[in-house]
Amino acid sequence: KAGVTQTPRYLIKTRGQQVTLSCSPISGHRSVSWYQQTPGQGLQFLFEYFSETQRNKGNFPGRFSGRQFSNSRSEMNVSTLELGDSALYLCASSRDFSYEQYFGPGTRLTVT
Amino acid sequence: GQNIDQPTEMTATEGAIVQINCTYQTSGFNGLFWYQQHAGEAPTFLSYNVLDGLEEKGRFSSFLSRSKGYSYLLLKELQMKDSASYLCAVRDLAPGANNLFFGTGTRLTVIP
């Protein structure tokens, strides 16, 4: 069974641009959560999607948004990029009613 | 709000036992997780505690005291490959929530 995949793995953007990251969950997993990881703040929850609906949202500005498609693949978008958005963005998927989340390898975003 | 504390760094000797502590103060609690993350890799699930007590899984054990807001991860017979960051995370209480609140992680270095 394939694991969680994320594309692209690395990305360099300029301040003010926008970016879209993609996450494909493990087959059969309908929950997809997104996290931002930085050295200073650690892993912080962005949002969770389940069956194409945002189920939970963390404390991030509205520049961070996401969506989920009918095949459970998810995308997150960051608009008007800031230097502080440089981070590793991880997505995780889980089965229905399961507490265990499986993380993807992440997308390393660098904003210059 | 959520506040999760764990030591930033620890060093231990190969073959020894190490205990990584985690204290938490959260507005809701629906389980505590430990994840292992090697440098440059995705976090991988180690353990889940929702009731008080000790959960043992091979060389790793995790303990939870909900009344004290305290957990620890115990690693026995340390191996060099155990050098990694260990992340403590608490799951939100919201119905159907699948989002985790992470501490900043404890970087464990195992020395010969």
Side-chain angles (χ1 to χ4, degrees):
Chain A
K1 205 175 199 182
V4 178
T5 58
Q6 292 186 244
T7 55
R9 293 293 312 278
Y10 302 91
L11 206 50
I12 299 175
K13 289 286 188 178
T14 306
R15 269 183 301 176
Q17 289 185 313
Q18 74 162 15
V19 66
T20 299
L21 312 181
S22 180
C23 171
S24 293
I26 293 172
S27 178
H29 289 194
R30 293 195 291 173
S31 168
V32 174
S33 297
W34 286 90
Y35 296 86
Q36 180 195 66
Q37 187 173 31
T38 58
Q41 298 294 319
L43 267 158
Q44 292 185 284
F45 171 73
L46 280 156
F47 28 66
E48 182 207 0
Y49 285 87
F50 180 81
S51 288
E52 302 179 66
T53 302
Q54 187 180 86
R55 188 157 67 173
N56 291 289
K57 189 177 190 306
N59 294 325
F60 278 80
R63 300 185 297 108
F64 292 82
S65 63
R67 59 178 175 169
Q68 187 179 34
F69 302 95
S70 58
N71 62 357
S72 295
R73 189 177 69 86
S74 177
E75 289 181 347
M76 68 162 281
N77 184 77
V78 188
S79 62
T80 319
L81 283 166
E82 301 177 359
L83 294 178
D85 297 333
S86 294
L88 180 67
Y89 290 87
L90 293 158
C91 81
S93 73
S94 62
R95 290 189 304 270
D96 294 5
F97 312 113
S98 171
Y99 55 77
E100 187 170 346
Q101 295 189 22
Y102 297 82
F103 283 83
T107 294
R108 172 76 61 184
L109 172 65
T110 302
V111 181
T112 60
Chain B
Q2 289 77 22
N3 188 35
I4 300 168
D5 288 317
Q6 48 182 135
T8 304
E9 294 190 19
M10 297 183 71
T11 301
T13 306
E14 191 176 14
I17 298 173
V18 71
Q19 178 174 311
I20 303 174
N21 296 324
C22 171
T23 58
Y24 63 90
Q25 292 174 305
T26 57
S27 54
F29 179 84
N30 196 16
L32 187 139
F33 296 75
W34 284 95
Y35 278 82
Q36 180 191 60
Q37 186 177 27
H38 284 99
E41 297 182 11
T44 55
F45 171 81
L46 287 178
S47 69
Y48 171 67
N49 294 68
V50 66
L51 300 176
D52 291 352
L54 188 68
E55 295 280 342
E56 296 185 83
K57 191 188 289 187
R59 294 190 299 115
F60 293 5
S61 302
S62 57
F63 171 83
L64 174 67
S65 168
R66 288 172 296 170
S67 62
K68 295 181 180 178
Y70 168 70
S71 172
Y72 67 72
L73 179 69
L74 193 71
L75 292 75
K76 304 175 188 174
E77 301 169 15
L78 280 172
Q79 302 174 10
M80 299 300 291
K81 67 178 182 180
D82 296 330
S83 291
S85 286
Y86 291 86
L87 311 175
C88 171
V90 172
R91 187 180 181 189
D92 202 333
L93 184 61
N98 211 14
N99 50 303
L100 301 178
F101 297 96
F102 283 85
T104 52
T106 298
R107 184 179 300 176
L108 174 67
T109 302
V110 180
I111 58 176

